[in-house]
Amino acid sequence: MEEIEVVVAHSERATLRVGDVFLKVDADQARIDVEVEAMSLAPVPTPEVLWHKPPVLAIAALPGTTLGRLGGPSTGSSAAWAAAGAAIRKLHDAPPPPWPGRAGRSVVALAAELDDECASLVTNGLLPADLVAHNRRVAGAALRPWTPAFTHGDLQIAHVFLDGDEVTGIIDWSEAGRGDALYDLATFTLGQEKHLDDVLAGYGGGIDLDVIHAWWSLRSLLAVRWLIEHGFDPFAPGCEVDVLRSRM
C-alpha cells in the first residue's frame, strides 16, 4: 500500500503525495483555478494535470530532483543552475497572462504593506529594530516601475525540477500572473547567493543586482511573521532571518 506523504500543510492549503500523484487541497478555489490556467499557458515544462475537482487538484510527479530548498544544502552543477536561469527567461519572455500575480502587486500597495510589516516585526519583538530598518532601506530599490512579465510568483528552488542539466518541470503556479521578473529571480536565488552568477549566465544580462538584493530583503521581511504564525521557522540556518542578516 502506498503511504501518504504530507509535503506541506497549513491552514490555507495542503499538498499530499501518494505514489506518483500529488493532491493539492486549497481553501481558495481561485488559487487552484489560476494554477491550472497558468500551467496551460506557460512555455516551460509543467506537471500533467490528472484531474481537477474543487477543492482538489491532482497532478503527476515530475522526473528528476530539485536543486535544494531554502535552508538546506543546494545541489546541481553550474550548468544546471544556468539551465534553470534559461527556463526562467523563457517564461518571462512569454506573453503575460491577463491577471496580476503575486509578483505584480502595485508599488504603492507593496510599500504600505512593507511599512506595516516592519513596524509589526519591531513592535512585537520578532526582529531587532536595526536589522529591520537596514533591510527596509535595502528593500526600497525594488519599489520602482517594472515591465509586466509572465511570472511564477513563488519560484522557490524547491519548485524547479531538473534531470541532470535539463529542466523537467516547474510546479506550484497558484501565485502566477503578470508581475516583476526580478521578483522571480530573487525568489529563486533567495539564500543561494553563491549560485546567482550561474543563474544569470543562463538568464541573460541586463539585470540590476541592487534590485535582486532589494527583493531578497523585501520578501524576507514580509515572510517572517507569516511563517511563524503558520508553524514554520524563518530563524533556521540559511532561511529568511539569515538572509536579512547577510544584507547588513
Side-chain angles (χ1 to χ4, degrees):
M1 181 180 294
E2 298 280 7
E3 292 187 353
I4 297 176
E5 175 191 356
V6 179
V7 179
V8 64
H10 49 77
S11 60
E12 295 178 3
R13 66 187 91 172
T15 300
L16 310 175
R17 180 169 186 168
V18 186
D20 290 332
V21 177
F22 286 90
L23 300 175
K24 303 190 68 174
V25 185
D26 200 318
D28 184 348
Q29 178 58 36
R31 278 196 295 250
I32 287 189
D33 291 342
V34 164
E35 181 155 9
V36 172
E37 181 68 11
M39 286 193 294
S40 73
L41 296 174
V44 294
T46 60
E48 177 189 359
V49 175
L50 301 176
W51 51 267
H52 175 208
K53 185 177 181 180
V56 183
L57 170 65
I59 60 175
L62 290 169
T65 58
T66 68
L67 292 170
R69 60 178 176 79
L70 184 62
S74 58
T75 60
S77 64
S78 293
W81 286 88
I88 297 169
R89 184 55 179 258
K90 186 175 182 180
L91 173 67
H92 290 166
D93 283 347
W99 66 86
R102 180 70 175 171
R105 289 166 290 174
S106 76
V107 169
V108 173
L110 195 57
E113 180 184 356
L114 182 59
D115 287 341
D116 289 345
E117 196 63 36
C118 288
S120 177
L121 291 170
V122 174
T123 300
N124 293 306
L126 296 177
L127 292 176
D130 60 339
L131 181 66
V132 172
H134 179 80
N135 277 276
R136 174 61 183 87
R137 289 192 294 272
V138 172
L143 303 174
R144 87 280 177 229
W146 40 266
T147 301
F150 193 149
T151 54
H152 179 279
D154 190 21
L155 198 60
Q156 305 172 45
I157 58 171
H159 292 163
V160 180
F161 284 73
L162 294 97
D163 185 1
D165 299 336
E166 179 182 355
V167 174
T168 57
I170 300 175
I171 64 172
D172 285 359
W173 292 82
S174 62
E175 307 286 356
R178 294 194 317 275
D180 180 2
L182 297 195
Y183 179 92
D184 271 356
L185 283 174
T187 301
F188 188 71
T189 56
L190 187 73
Q192 304 292 337
E193 188 167 1
K194 65 182 179 180
H195 297 297
L196 178 59
D197 286 346
D198 292 330
V199 173
L200 294 183
Y203 186 85
I207 300 302
D208 188 336
L209 293 180
D210 287 342
V211 177
I212 296 290
H213 299 160
W215 273 121
W216 287 345
S217 291
L218 199 159
R219 180 180 168 92
S220 297
L221 286 168
L222 293 183
V224 168
R225 184 172 58 86
W226 186 94
L227 290 168
I228 293 171
E229 292 176 351
H230 288 78
F232 302 100
D233 185 9
F235 292 88
C239 291
E240 284 80 4
V241 176
D242 273 357
V243 171
L244 295 173
R245 290 170 179 154
S246 73
R247 296 297 98 207
M248 298 293 285

